[in-house]
Amino acid sequence: MRVSYNLLKEMVELDPTIKPEEVANKLTFAGIEVEECYPLAQASGLVVGQIISCEPHPDSDHLHLLKVDLGEKRGVLDIVCGAPNARKGLKTIVATVGANLKAIGVTIKKSTILGHESNGMCCSLAELGVSDELLSEKEKNGIYEIEEDAKVGDEEVLKLLGLDDYILELNVLANRPDLLSMRGVAREVAALFSTKVKDVPELDYKKTQSIEVSSKTEKCSCFCLLKVRTDGKAKTPVKMKQYLRALGYRSINLAVDIGNFMMVITGQPFHFYDSEKAKAISGTEKYVVRDDFEGQIITLDEKVIDVKLGDLVVTNGETPMCLGGVMGLKNVATDENSHEFGIESAYFDYAQIRHTVNRTGLASDSSSRFIKKVNKNLTAESLRILAHVYKSIDPSFEVLSYSAFNDEPEKLRTISYSVEKTNVRLGSHFSQEEVYDVFKRLRIKVNKDGTIVPPIDRQDLIEQADLDEEVFRYNDPSKLDLSLNNFPVTPGKMSEKYAKCHKISNYLSSIGLYEILSYTLIDEKLNSSYRLFNEGVESIKIANPMTNDHEYIRSDLTSSIVKTIEYNLSRQKDDFGIFEIADLRVGEKDNTYLAIGLTGLKKTRSLLEKVPYDFYDLKGYVESVLALLNISPNRYTVTRSSNKYLHPGRSAEIYVGKDCIGVFGEISPQYQKKPILIAELDLTKMMEIKSGSTKFAPFSIYPDVERDFCFVLSSDVTSASLMSTVKKAVGSTLKSLDIFDVYDLGNDKKSIAFRVKMTNMDHTFKDEEIKAISDKIISAVQSKLNGELR
């Protein structure tokens, strides 16, 4: 927000000795950051001069030899000037010898140009530091032409031109849209300096409802239209032009200038329609806001824009006349021949305006204010203030009618409040009088029952905490106790969920995998690609996405992992492993997931030895994660996966009961040419599995016994079912069970060889005991799995 200090002084009863830097400091320390405070123009040694003679330079095709009258004190000076608009009788800005033009880094010196003496310089506004964007083409290409009534010899040139001003650049936070207006800033400054804001008059008129004004959408909850007539002869006052220049606007004509100026004053954007053009469209003048129009429109700057469903359009019922809150249209644009105007003041939904601006690229000061949420309760009041200012400038200004849709202000909210709670929250000892003094300065009403009513312009004051912040901002910080006495004592530790995730993250990082963090919001293509989990779940679509690349809330991690791998592979980063732990929105639940991705070669001995990542590397990582969560192998089963995105012979799923808690494997060659291994685990379900804590078991002092077995089994018998059968047969003496060979025999047969290690806690195994256990293993495999001992 750009603030003119001179305009601020006109709105607030400030002590003349207060400097702009002091105001900037007070605002900043009250939580309203002033990013910059600087003079609008910087120059010394300037005088108003009048050209009394202008002759062409004999040795140049563009220079002039001027005689410039600077009044009685300085007399007439000879100046060589190249401005095309230099002419006899013109009053302009003269920088005399010794003048310092800081904006261009020049100190004026007496000089000789092509044999002719020059004792100064005739200046343009750009040479005083005014931005080119705020100048007309005429002002850019020549010296500045001062009004005829200016006094020759006047040395207060910056004051004469309204350039003796300071600019305060405010960084306005999202919760303070009231500070996007000069009135809002003036109220804040008045409260800080315990002074008053000058009243802003309003023009009184009554609602006639002679023009149909309505809204067919909830996205426009208020629409006010003031129909007026002028003779078109009045011009923008010089002072308003100067303020507009200071505020960053270029003067166009009276109607446009008043619209821009009053938007800055009130914070409410306005739009002017040519009433006669609006009426000519269908024979009846009416204003209907819709969000169901589709088609093309031509804007004021003659751009052709495609309007989509949802965009707010002000129509005459059928034909668009304005892209609501964004830009007016060519068909009802005002011009020098316009004498009857429809002046709009409305409240449009900020989210929809943001979406439309992002899609069309039609950003403006008006749309930015709607996006930051204008105050619906001030739309009608702002229009009355504009009408008063217009009437004071143009005597021919006449109100023909006022029509509105839902222009009644909402009832002011009431907030329960306690001074004691404020002191507890702030660690302070403010008295009730001190707190109520702050409320008085901020125009906050205190009811007899102690409840609080915020002023109509402060939308951010909603609850006790907001009022506590105001008390803190407007009081001496020394009244806060620098103590932790009132703070609750809480242990500083991670939550159980975060601690487990942190443990998994540390483990995966320690084995050489890189942790990544990818976007939660994804595009439609990524949303419909790889799914290992939640294949039938629809991802949530954002109603008003910032861009099409961030349109859906992802409901899986696999697509993000694969996208990251593809990105790196395309940049010759071939050998690596990555993982991500993130919360996903799945239906109505928020679950935590882990995804792992592997590709290329794994370093086994640094660069001396590399081997390709394979299915068993991934399986090992998955089993290690399960072990970190104390989920023992007998709690889960591993089965072949039928996921279409995975290789049918190199993929698996993990189940606990009927719940699938993990899917892993190699991506099918029909989706990826280069091998990529992927795993996704539902950590939320895994953490819900009840598991016992790790306990110490004493070591046996007796020797272990190992026996190897090899069975011929049907091809559909899984290793897991074989190991489960053997474990039950061996019982408590089993120490370990490992498969060391699997061989395909053909004819739907295979052999599996495994080693059983057994131990006893109280004696050494006898031969008879070992034989009994071996017979038990053979009998169990034969009876339950139809296996034959090889």
Side-chain angles (χ1 to χ4, degrees):
M1 173 65 184
R2 188 178 170 110
V3 174
S4 160
Y5 186 65
N6 283 350
L7 181 55
L8 185 65
K9 288 191 294 183
E10 286 203 33
M11 302 180 72
V12 182
E13 296 178 1
L14 278 177
D15 188 315
T17 61
I18 294 174
K19 302 296 183 184
E21 293 84 1
E22 186 179 348
V23 173
N25 286 335
K26 280 250 188 183
L27 285 169
T28 298
F29 283 101
I32 302 159
E33 182 186 0
V34 179
E35 294 180 327
E36 285 187 273
C37 177
Y38 56 89
L40 182 59
Q42 288 182 287
S44 62
L46 302 180
V47 185
V48 174
Q50 183 171 29
I51 301 173
I52 57 176
S53 172
C54 179
E55 300 293 337
H57 194 294
D59 299 322
S60 172
D61 59 356
H62 70 282
L63 294 177
H64 301 92
L65 302 177
L66 307 181
K67 288 190 179 296
V68 184
D69 182 10
L70 299 186
E72 294 181 5
K73 182 178 177 180
R74 297 178 184 265
V76 177
L77 299 181
D78 291 318
I79 296 176
V80 179
C81 177
N85 63 329
R87 61 187 183 275
K88 183 179 178 180
L90 176 66
K91 290 182 180 179
T92 188
I93 307 165
V94 178
T96 58
V97 174
N100 186 5
L101 305 180
K102 291 186 179 181
I104 58 175
V106 171
T107 299
I108 304 300
K109 298 177 181 178
K110 183 186 290 188
S111 61
T112 300
I113 302 175
L114 296 179
H116 289 264
E117 190 177 84
S118 183
N119 297 295
M121 173 180 169
C122 296
C123 300
S124 67
L125 290 182
E127 289 159 335
L128 303 186
V130 179
S131 171
D132 283 349
E133 297 176 357
L134 306 178
L135 303 177
S136 64
E137 287 302 316
K138 181 181 178 182
E139 290 172 334
K140 290 179 187 177
N141 298 323
I143 56 178
Y144 186 67
E145 301 184 11
I146 298 178
E147 300 290 331
E148 284 294 327
D149 57 355
K151 181 183 177 182
V152 173
D154 187 351
E155 296 182 354
E156 293 187 341
V157 175
L158 294 183
K159 183 176 181 180
L160 175 69
L161 302 179
L163 299 176
D164 62 331
D165 201 353
Y166 270 77
I167 301 301
L168 281 67
E169 296 281 0
L170 272 56
N171 178 19
V172 179
L173 300 179
N175 67 323
R176 292 298 305 272
D178 58 299
L179 295 176
L180 295 172
S181 68
M182 285 297 302
R183 289 187 81 192
V185 176
R187 288 169 176 144
E188 194 75 22
V189 171
L192 286 169
F193 287 89
S194 299
T195 185
K196 294 181 180 179
V197 177
K198 296 177 184 177
D199 292 334
V200 179
E202 303 173 14
L203 186 66
D204 188 31
Y205 47 76
K206 294 182 180 179
K207 184 188 291 189
T208 59
Q209 214 64 24
S210 57
I211 296 175
E212 181 185 338
V213 172
S214 62
S215 172
K216 304 295 185 184
T217 169
E218 294 179 352
K219 298 174 186 175
C220 174
S221 54
C222 176
F223 191 97
C224 306
L225 188 88
L226 187 68
K227 184 171 181 178
V228 303
R229 179 191 294 130
T230 71
D231 60 14
K233 296 178 181 179
K235 304 297 181 185
T236 305
V238 173
K239 195 168 188 179
M240 181 178 285
K241 287 182 179 180
Q242 292 173 351
Y243 279 140
L244 284 169
R245 183 186 295 130
L247 294 165
Y249 296 89
R250 184 161 56 88
S251 176
I252 307 296
N253 58 50
L254 181 59
V256 173
D257 292 350
I258 283 182
N260 286 332
F261 185 67
M262 296 314 299
M263 176 182 69
V264 175
I265 295 293
T266 64
Q268 171 67 45
F270 302 96
H271 183 64
F272 284 62
Y273 300 85
D274 186 314
S275 289
E276 294 176 350
K277 292 179 182 178
K279 186 176 181 180
I281 292 174
S282 62
T284 304
E285 186 178 2
K286 58 182 177 179
Y287 300 81
V288 181
V289 184
R290 296 168 47 189
D291 64 354
D292 58 352
F293 178 84
E294 283 189 287
Q296 289 190 329
I297 57 173
I298 302 175
T299 62
L300 288 173
D301 53 0
E302 299 186 348
K303 289 183 179 178
V304 178
I305 300 295
D306 289 319
V307 176
K308 306 291 185 182
L309 286 176
D311 291 336
L312 293 171
V313 180
V314 182
T315 70
N316 71 335
E318 297 294 333
T319 305
M321 300 188 296
C322 177
L323 188 57
V326 180
M327 189 171 287
L329 304 189
K330 190 75 175 174
N331 60 344
V332 289
T334 61
D335 53 39
E336 64 276 5
N337 298 316
S338 301
H339 297 294
E340 288 191 6
F341 305 102
I343 307 176
E344 165 207 300
S345 177
Y347 178 84
F348 297 115
D349 178 66
Y350 63 94
Q352 183 57 55
I353 300 300
R354 174 173 57 80
H355 183 61
T356 302
V357 168
N358 287 337
R359 184 176 58 78
T360 61
L362 297 176
S364 65
D365 281 353
S366 294
S367 62
S368 70
R369 281 174 166 79
F370 279 118
I371 289 170
K372 292 171 183 175
K373 203 172 183 181
V374 301
N375 193 327
K376 175 188 171 184
N377 293 323
L378 300 179
T379 50
E381 177 187 299
S382 299
L383 195 56
R384 290 193 295 272
I385 295 171
L386 178 143
H388 170 81
V389 173
Y390 210 141
K391 180 71 175 176
S392 66
I393 295 171
D394 186 355
S396 71
F397 179 87
E398 178 187 358
V399 174
L400 300 178
S401 66
Y402 170 64
S403 307
F405 165 76
N406 194 26
D407 65 338
E408 293 298 323
E410 296 173 350
K411 185 180 178 181
L412 295 177
R413 70 175 69 89
T414 301
I415 304 172
S416 297
Y417 180 73
S418 163
V419 175
E420 182 181 354
K421 288 182 180 179
T422 295
N423 284 325
V424 169
R425 175 174 276 124
L426 300 180
S428 58
H429 45 83
F430 296 123
S431 66
Q432 180 172 292
E433 290 71 23
E434 289 173 313
V435 171
Y436 285 3
D437 175 64
V438 171
F439 290 168
K440 182 180 179 182
R441 287 154 59 191
L442 290 170
R443 301 166 294 113
I444 296 172
K445 181 183 176 184
V446 181
N447 292 327
K448 291 181 179 180
D449 60 358
T451 57
I452 301 297
V453 180
I456 195 170
D457 55 287
R458 290 296 299 274
Q459 302 178 80
D460 59 307
L461 301 181
I462 300 172
E463 58 183 357
Q464 163 104 26
D466 300 319
L467 298 170
D468 295 344
E469 182 182 357
E470 299 304 293
V471 173
F472 172 74
R473 292 198 307 122
Y474 283 89
N475 263 304
D476 187 352
S478 65
K479 296 221 172 181
L480 302 183
D481 293 330
L482 300 179
S483 168
L484 299 178
N485 290 340
N486 292 325
F487 280 71
V489 178
T490 55
K493 65 177 184 178
M494 299 179 187
S495 66
E496 183 180 357
K497 170 191 166 183
Y498 184 80
K500 289 180 178 179
C501 290
H502 189 63
K503 187 177 181 181
I504 294 169
S505 175
N506 284 343
Y507 162 71
L508 293 175
S509 297
S510 71
I511 60 174
L513 273 59
Y514 298 100
E515 184 168 12
I516 68 167
L517 183 65
S518 55
Y519 286 114
T520 299
L521 300 178
I522 59 176
D523 59 25
E524 185 175 5
K525 181 181 178 182
L526 202 60
N527 180 61
S528 59
S529 64
Y530 303 94
R531 285 285 185 97
L532 299 191
F533 268 107
N534 312 315
E535 195 166 355
V537 176
E538 286 192 14
S539 299
I540 297 173
K541 186 176 182 180
I542 303 297
N544 296 297
M546 296 290 284
T547 68
N548 291 333
D549 291 335
H550 303 94
E551 195 173 4
Y552 290 87
I553 299 176
R554 65 182 177 181
S555 52
D556 76 289
L557 288 180
T558 301
S559 56
S560 299
I561 290 283
V562 174
K563 182 181 179 182
T564 303
I565 291 175
E566 290 174 340
Y567 178 88
N568 284 274
L569 290 176
S570 66
R571 287 158 178 80
Q572 288 77 51
K573 305 293 183 184
D574 300 319
D575 308 322
F576 60 91
I578 58 175
F579 71 95
E580 180 174 12
I581 299 174
D583 292 334
L584 301 179
R585 184 72 174 176
V586 182
E588 298 298 320
K589 295 181 179 179
D590 290 313
N591 282 13
T592 303
Y593 287 78
L594 162 67
I596 302 172
L598 308 173
T599 187
L601 303 176
K602 176 182 67 171
K603 297 176 184 177
T604 56
R605 288 194 298 146
S606 188
L607 296 177
L608 295 173
E609 185 179 351
K610 293 182 178 181
V611 295
Y613 278 113
D614 61 20
F615 173 81
Y616 293 102
D617 289 316
L618 185 62
K619 180 173 179 285
Y621 297 156
V622 170
E623 289 176 340
S624 296
V625 170
L626 289 162
L628 284 172
L629 297 177
N630 288 329
I631 302 173
S632 59
N634 62 353
R635 298 295 305 277
Y636 59 85
T637 56
V638 181
T639 62
R640 188 178 301 229
S641 174
S642 59
N643 190 286
K644 67 179 181 179
Y645 295 109
L646 298 179
H647 192 296
R650 301 173 190 167
S651 59
E653 295 177 356
I654 306 171
Y655 283 86
V656 173
K658 294 182 179 180
D659 291 330
C660 180
I661 62 170
V663 183
F664 63 95
E666 182 181 320
I667 293 180
S668 174
Q670 66 180 344
Y671 294 104
Q672 290 290 338
K673 293 181 181 179
K674 189 166 185 176
I676 294 177
L677 295 149
I678 197 82
E680 189 166 350
L681 306 176
D682 187 337
L683 293 183
T684 297
K685 285 184 178 178
M686 291 167 65
M687 291 177 191
E688 289 172 353
I689 297 172
K690 293 181 179 179
S691 58
S693 57
T694 303
K695 296 180 180 179
F696 172 77
F699 294 102
S700 173
I701 62 173
Y702 302 100
D704 296 335
V705 174
E706 293 181 356
R707 290 291 183 271
D708 292 347
F709 298 87
C710 183
F711 285 93
V712 176
L713 300 159
S714 174
S715 296
D716 59 358
V717 175
T718 64
S719 299
S721 61
L722 174 61
M723 295 181 76
S724 175
T725 301
V726 173
K727 286 177 182 178
K728 290 178 181 177
V730 176
S732 61
T733 60
L734 181 67
K735 185 174 183 179
S736 66
L737 174 61
D738 296 296
I739 294 174
F740 61 84
D741 184 59
V742 178
Y743 186 75
D744 187 2
L745 300 173
N747 298 320
D748 294 329
K749 294 288 184 178
K750 64 181 177 182
S751 71
I752 299 179
F754 56 88
R755 177 168 296 158
V756 178
K757 182 181 285 189
M758 299 170 285
T759 189
N760 235 326
M761 299 302 296
D762 52 7
H763 67 276
T764 301
F765 273 110
K766 297 178 181 179
D767 289 341
E768 303 85 54
E769 291 176 311
I770 297 171
K771 185 177 185 307
I773 293 174
S774 299
D775 291 343
K776 201 172 181 181
I777 292 172
I778 295 168
S779 175
V781 173
Q782 288 176 341
S783 61
K784 294 182 179 180
L785 302 176
N786 294 321
E788 296 178 8
L789 184 68
R790 289 189 75 180

